Amino acid sequence: QSHDLRVGGTWRTVMLSPQGERHIVSGVYREISRPRRLAFTWAWDQDDGSRGHETLVTIELSAKGEGTLLKLTQAEFAETEHRDNHRLGWDSSLNDLQRIFG
């Protein structure tokens, strides 16, 4: 994993599936407006080493009562199936965060 957290900086991470398959995703930080907004590109590495279709992920944070509201947007997807798969992944991750930090 690597992260160069600055506008124009790159990031890369490796995810392991429950079956042990490696999935590599990377991108470039497009906007860092601390502490409210973060935007970065997202593309999966393909089997041939190329990068797949690139999307833009935007995370916006705002105060809500004594907590924080997190709004995550990812667009534009090449296929509806990819959008739906990402929704499942983000939902799982955000539910884990809510469970941990309540």
Side-chain angles (χ1 to χ4, degrees), residues 15 38 40 42 57-61 68-74 83 85-102:
M15 297 180 200
L38 176 67
F40 52 92
W42 175 292
V57 177
T58 304
I59 298 171
E60 297 173 281
L61 303 171
T68 302
L69 178 66
L70 185 151
K71 178 182 176 187
L72 187 146
T73 306
Q74 186 173 9
R83 181 204 62 201
N85 289 339
H86 278 253
R87 179 180 292 148
L88 291 172
W90 286 120
D91 284 350
S92 175
S93 296
L94 295 173
N95 287 336
D96 286 347
L97 279 176
Q98 185 175 11
R99 190 181 72 250
I100 291 168
F101 296 105

Side-chain angles (χ1 to χ4, degrees), residues 12-59:
R12 179 180 183 273
T13 193
V14 177
M15 297 180 200
L16 294 175
S17 75
Q19 298 77 25
E21 299 168 326
R22 289 171 35 108
H23 302 281
I24 300 170
V25 63
S26 62
V28 175
Y29 292 105
R30 296 288 185 218
E31 180 182 347
I32 302 169
S33 300
R34 293 180 183 163
R36 301 275 182 226
R37 188 174 162 94
L38 176 67
F40 52 92
T41 61
W42 175 292
W44 294 101
D45 283 8
Q46 305 301 297
D47 291 337
D48 65 3
S50 66
R51 293 183 80 233
H53 178 76
E54 187 173 85
T55 59
L56 181 67
V57 177
T58 304
I59 298 171

